[in-house]
Amino acid sequence: MLRIPCPFCGSTRDEDEFTFGGPYDRVRPSAPGQLSDEQWADYLFTRDNVRGRSRERWRHTFGCRQWFGIERDTVSHALVRVFTFDEVSRDDEQGNRIIGGLHEAV
Amino acid sequence: MKPYERVPAFGHPTNEPRPKVRFIFDGKSYEGLEGDTLAAALLANGIGIVGRSFKLHRPRGIMGGGVEETNGLLQLESGPFDEPNVRATMMPLYQGLKASSQNAWPNAQHDVLGVMDRFAKLLPASFYYKSMMWPNWHFYERFVRPIAGLGKAPILPDAQRYHKRNVHCDLLIVGGGPAGLSAALVAGRAGLRVILADDREQYGGSLLAERFIINGAPGGQWVANTVTTLEQMPNVQLLPRTSVSGYYENNFLAAAQRVTNHFGPQGQRGKLRERLWRIRAQSVVLATGAIERPLVFSNNDRPGVMLASAVRLYVNRFGVVPGSSVVVATNNDEAYRTAFDLHAVGVKALTVVDTRASVAAELVRDVKTKGIQHFVGYGISDVLGARKVRAVKISRHLGEGTLAATTTTVKCDLIAMSSGWSPTIHLYSQAGGTLQYKEGIGCLVPLACAQAVRVIGAANGRFSLPECIEDGVDAGRAVATELGAKPGAPGELPTTHAASREAMRIEPFWYTRSARTDKQWLDFQYDVKVSDIELAMRENFVSVEHVKRYTTGGMSVDQGKSSNFNILAIMAELSGQPIVRVGTTRFRPPYQPVTIGAFAANTVGELYAPWQTLHAASSHAGSKAHFGDYGWRRPEYYPQGQEDIIAATRREVFVVRNGVGMFDGSPLGKIEVRGPDAATFLNRVYVNNLASLKPGFARYAMLTNDNGVLIDDGVVVRLADDHYLVHATSGAVGRVFLLFEEYLQCEWPGLRVHINNVTTQWANVTVSGPKARLVVQKFESDIDFSVGRFAHMHFRSGTFAGVPVRILRASFTGEVTYEISVASRYGKSLWDSIASAGEEYGIAPYGIEALEVMRAEKGYLHVGADTDGNSNPLDIGWAKIIEKKTDDFIGRRSLQRCADHAAGRLEFVGLESLQPKTPLPVGGHFVDDASPTIPKASAGYVTTACMSPMLNKAIGLGILRDGASRMGEVVSIYARGKITVARVVPTTHFDPKGERLNG
């Protein structure tokens, strides 16, 4: 069970206080009507299955309920870094917004 | 079955006889000694057959000494203490213990299904994928199910109590043998908080099985002294009888402690049986030892064939010698100790059969001096005796596992075999550790792990006693230093023999190449043989994970502790690859079986989940409410007199429809949405246009996910330009609130909106019926309730009976309804006041059952009941509402896909039974044939059904393929072998024009 430091609460808590919310860099398209069916399906269903460092969106569900980012090594489970939306923008390395999926909370 | 005469256990004072313990096995009474395991006691009583193998029902006898045991699985006790698959080698004996053999009828001694062995050729690995096909599996299933499995699952609820505990420590040491004990001493003296866990009844590990001398006395003395020292350290916690079963991320481990199992049912009464420890350790030391490997030769599964180290354990620890003429079969030096120990206790007929070409001269001399027969460069070509070993046939080992044709027969009644040792690296692997193969010692040892863990002693391939002690001391010092404590001056190491005395000098002998491979066992429990590995690889199952599953090797109760390595070594041989290329199968928790009760702890019965209680609960109880569990404890119906649920529900419906009823709607989801962008936000989220809602008005709204699927519904109220109140369903409000927060934090952080889940801050009394207005008008309020002043789907806030109030005219019954909400601390008081005020109008409470009947009469749908994981707004007839809205909303894009509005979708319809008295079956499938042959395509299903009190007939709701265009059609519904016939009708069965709502 991971130990995760919440950037808002300022303390490290057990993993079961948190909820995983999908890839960090995926944002909801601002104009879904302009996407083809394939692009829309990609947004809804396609995910990278990263071996190694993966940037993820997490929520401190049983604490402050705020969303933030974690860069985690999916092989060793090491948390490389933890950051807020302000500290790291949710784009790819080239600064492009990636069309991606909102984590389905329901 | 003659009992064997006991010899003194090594190191146990001969003038202290161990008390006798009576126990029952397969209905017969036997005697053991205190301190015995059940296995030791069975062996001592000469019981050679304790069970049958899973597939072929071959006789099985005790093979091992501890956690590696594959054969001695017994059903223990009965009734509320019934426990299947108990390993006799791990179970301590207690007075009156009752055990029986498994997987055999009438018992293991004489098993009717023993005949399966004759059909072994028809039952290789995965035979079930190539047979039992025609006409279909179900034809065979009825024969297979009764004989599948080993033990029997208990029938009665578990009478025992379990508990969980969280603990933090500086150092967790897993394994209390010489390595673990040494580490604990050093770390404990350095002041660290140490937990020392061992899965046996007492500490000592491998020392318990050997005749080793430490500091001039039997090793057990050193163990006892060390334990006493540790017991006196307040910073050290000793956990014997505790199996560390899982190693998770960030040094989080789970351990199952057997608190009172060793007392049996009588001794456990009123006590805790097991405790699950959840341990977070700064540092972990794994001193988990090693497990001996069976040697692979023909018929090596016969009762009387045991692991060499297990024989030593029974002789030295329990004083049980399970044979009078013994053959030790080995490919290494270690197993010779079994011959020497047997010699030391007076066994005369001893033979060592060694597959290696040559052996150290010193060893040869030692063997000869003791009068032990020695066959160097020989292997076992067969075992004679099906129910008990009576002899072996041996022949010259020509190399590479090939034996010569000429055999010599050696009479014996016990074979002690050894093919080397495998370090116990399961927890280490769970932690993410990698392994490497060490040629010299013929096993896999730890390589590297990212977690804060050290592996010491035999678990790290350092098998000798002095190496184990040295490793333990070094690890204790290293951890202490690492954690900033002072390990103190290094004391003198306890004196013992030289490490070289325990050199293994192993020469791998993976299997007997020249013998039939279908007679050489790898997994004794599941009857997996060398031929099965050959078969799997011939069928191109290359990966070790596939071979494991195809053959089921290593998948039984022991999880391959004694078989996995042999299997992958043989795979390596057969495919010509090095062992590391084959790899191991994934190690997963639990390392040993853990009782399910320990995971549940005290979350059973009433405590299985938290619940919420209505503020007016005592009033409901006073009205004899029958409560149900909906997360909230809610009244389902209020039976009067001798009423059952049907009569009470019926009466309550009439009370509401003909007069006035009252309902506790407090759990209804309530989310406040405030801010300049509140309207924009809700409009983006909901299907409806909510921006056009005027203050004081309410609108029934639908919520979908981005895939267009309906996830919740509810009435949204606008209080002001920048203030909405969203009523989500009571079951979904938690999720919906989190969803709103996700959109606001992650997708639209620019929107100026605050939201708050106020569900539990408001209590509600819902007054419903033609006389509802009369009741509410009796209270002092600044709200005008007169006809035309407060219409349906309107909202007012103000004061009511002296307290602030919010009143919404929405209806789930179809009658004039006032949902009156006050601060939850007034909930009971409001309920009681309304009950009193309504008395003159015959007001009565109604529960969820009556509400469900009334909403079915009105065709009001329930998301999740009348909709499924595919239903979208178009399926429930919302196309027009969507057309009228121009802005994007969550789900809109998905509804534009062809499949989302294609023909053939399941659409929401009403149903009425053609026979008014015949109820419609909920869950019944629509079929297009009045007398269908199964299997048959489903055209949807009935989602809601009831006998309508108002219409006096059976009605329902459902989702039917193309239902919207099939009004008036007669459809067939299939359920449980019967057909019910219904007509498709509009969903609103009662008061279709909604006249009563606007009364």
Side-chain angles (χ1 to χ4, degrees), chain B residues 260-451:
Chain B
T260 56
N261 301 43
H262 53 291
F263 293 136
Q266 288 304 107
Q268 276 176 52
R269 278 186 204 285
K271 296 206 177 79
L272 196 64
R273 175 184 142 115
E274 290 177 22
R275 185 181 284 120
L276 187 76
W277 292 88
R278 301 166 83 239
I279 305 168
R280 187 73 77 173
Q282 289 266 68
S283 191
V284 174
V285 163
L286 298 175
T288 42
I291 292 174
E292 196 164 34
R293 298 192 288 258
L295 198 56
V296 184
F297 50 86
S298 291
N299 286 310
N300 60 339
D301 70 321
R302 297 299 193 193
V305 181
M306 299 178 66
L307 291 172
S309 57
V311 174
R312 291 203 294 282
L313 177 77
Y314 290 116
V315 169
N316 297 325
R317 166 88 189 93
F318 301 108
V320 175
V321 185
S324 50
S325 67
V326 187
V327 167
V328 174
T330 180
N331 65 356
N332 62 78
D333 275 7
E334 286 255 316
Y336 279 72
R337 278 209 300 284
T338 303
F340 296 149
D341 289 357
L342 285 166
H343 179 263
V345 297
V347 177
K348 295 278 185 281
L350 288 166
T351 308
V352 174
V353 176
D354 196 324
T355 57
R356 297 174 292 176
S358 67
V359 163
E362 207 182 273
L363 197 55
V364 174
R365 255 199 319 274
D366 222 342
V367 170
K368 194 158 175 206
T369 325
K370 296 186 161 76
I372 299 170
Q373 234 190 343
H374 203 180
F375 290 93
V376 179
Y378 274 76
I380 295 187
S381 76
D382 204 357
V383 174
L384 302 179
R387 295 171 62 84
K388 175 128 181 77
V389 169
R390 56 182 167 82
V392 280
K393 285 199 174 131
I394 62 173
S395 31
R396 290 210 60 92
H397 177 211
L398 305 171
E400 310 277 321
T402 305
L403 302 181
T406 337
T407 63
T408 308
T409 305
V410 178
K411 284 219 178 80
C412 60
D413 61 0
L414 172 65
I415 300 171
M417 60 177 174
S418 176
S419 181
W421 289 78
S422 296
T424 306
I425 40 70
H426 304 60
L427 289 175
Y428 170 79
S429 301
Q430 288 178 28
T434 53
L435 301 168
Q436 57 181 336
Y437 182 65
K438 279 271 173 76
E439 283 283 348
I441 46 177
C443 60
L444 290 168
V445 296
L447 177 59
C449 183
Q451 300 223 49

Side-chain angles (χ1 to χ4, degrees), chain B residues 6 13 100 144 179 182 261 285-286 289 378 383 394 398 489 507 509 644 689 832 855 884 932 977:
Chain B
R6 299 252 188 168
S100 45
V144 175
S182 303
N261 301 43
V285 163
L286 298 175
Y378 274 76
V383 174
I394 62 173
L398 305 171
E507 277 174 33
F509 183 99
D644 64 0
N689 185 342
D832 294 340
R855 71 119 189 135
K884 291 209 204 106

Side-chain angles (χ1 to χ4, degrees), chain A residues 1-3 14-16 26-28 32-33 35-37 40 43-45 57 59 61 65-67 76-77 85 90 102-106, chain B residues 168 248-250 252 278 280 450 705-707 711 735-739 741-743 745-748 888-891 893-894 896-898:
Chain A
M1 166 153 60
L2 295 175
R3 295 277 291 166
D14 279 353
E15 183 183 339
D16 44 20
R26 295 192 168 207
V27 294
R28 193 167 185 279
L35 300 181
S36 68
D37 277 353
W40 183 245
Y43 151 70
L44 284 181
F45 305 118
R57 189 154 60 80
R59 175 181 68 212
T61 309
R65 286 204 321 274
Q66 301 309 298
W67 285 94
S76 70
H77 294 294
F85 291 163
R90 293 170 64 210
L102 180 70
H103 169 63
E104 297 296 354
V106 290
Chain B
H168 290 246
Y248 306 93
E249 301 85 28
N250 293 156
F252 180 74
R278 301 166 83 239
R280 187 73 77 173
N705 60 24
D706 249 331
N707 199 22
I711 55 175
R735 280 175 284 147
V736 169
F737 176 63
L738 287 174
L739 184 66
E741 284 197 322
E742 187 168 0
Y743 288 134
Q745 286 183 39
C746 302
E747 302 304 336
W748 308 315
D888 186 37
F889 56 86
I890 304 286
R893 177 62 187 81
S894 287
Q896 290 162 358
R897 300 178 302 207
C898 293

Side-chain angles (χ1 to χ4, degrees), chain B residues 805-828:
Chain B
V805 74
R806 286 174 165 177
I807 304 187
L808 170 63
R809 268 202 66 183
S811 181
F812 209 34
T813 59
E815 304 298 326
V816 170
T817 305
Y818 296 89
E819 295 186 358
I820 305 169
S821 295
V822 293
S824 42
R825 65 188 178 279
Y826 298 127
K828 176 177 160 60

Side-chain angles (χ1 to χ4, degrees), chain A:
Chain A
M1 166 153 60
L2 295 175
R3 295 277 291 166
I4 300 175
C6 173
F8 299 103
C9 292
S11 59
T12 302
R13 311 286 185 87
D14 279 353
E15 183 183 339
D16 44 20
E17 286 191 24
F18 300 83
T19 308
F20 169 75
Y24 185 75
D25 296 282
R26 295 192 168 207
V27 294
R28 193 167 185 279
S30 46
Q34 288 170 15
L35 300 181
S36 68
D37 277 353
E38 284 72 27
Q39 287 175 313
W40 183 245
D42 197 52
Y43 151 70
L44 284 181
F45 305 118
T46 308
R47 300 285 187 275
D48 277 337
N49 190 13
V50 180
R51 183 186 178 87
R53 295 200 173 178
S54 152
R55 285 173 21 150
E56 305 169 339
R57 189 154 60 80
W58 285 75
R59 175 181 68 212
H60 193 184
T61 309
F62 296 102
C64 58
R65 286 204 321 274
Q66 301 309 298
W67 285 94
F68 59 96
I70 295 180
E71 186 168 355
R72 181 178 69 97
D73 187 311
T74 59
V75 176
S76 70
H77 294 294
L79 299 195
V80 178
R81 51 178 181 149
V82 174
F83 42 89
T84 62
F85 291 163
D86 292 334
E87 290 166 346
V88 176
S89 67
R90 293 170 64 210
D91 306 337
D92 67 5
E93 277 130 20
Q94 284 84 41
N96 302 317
R97 300 224 103 180
I98 301 168
I99 292 166
L102 180 70
H103 169 63
E104 297 296 354
V106 290

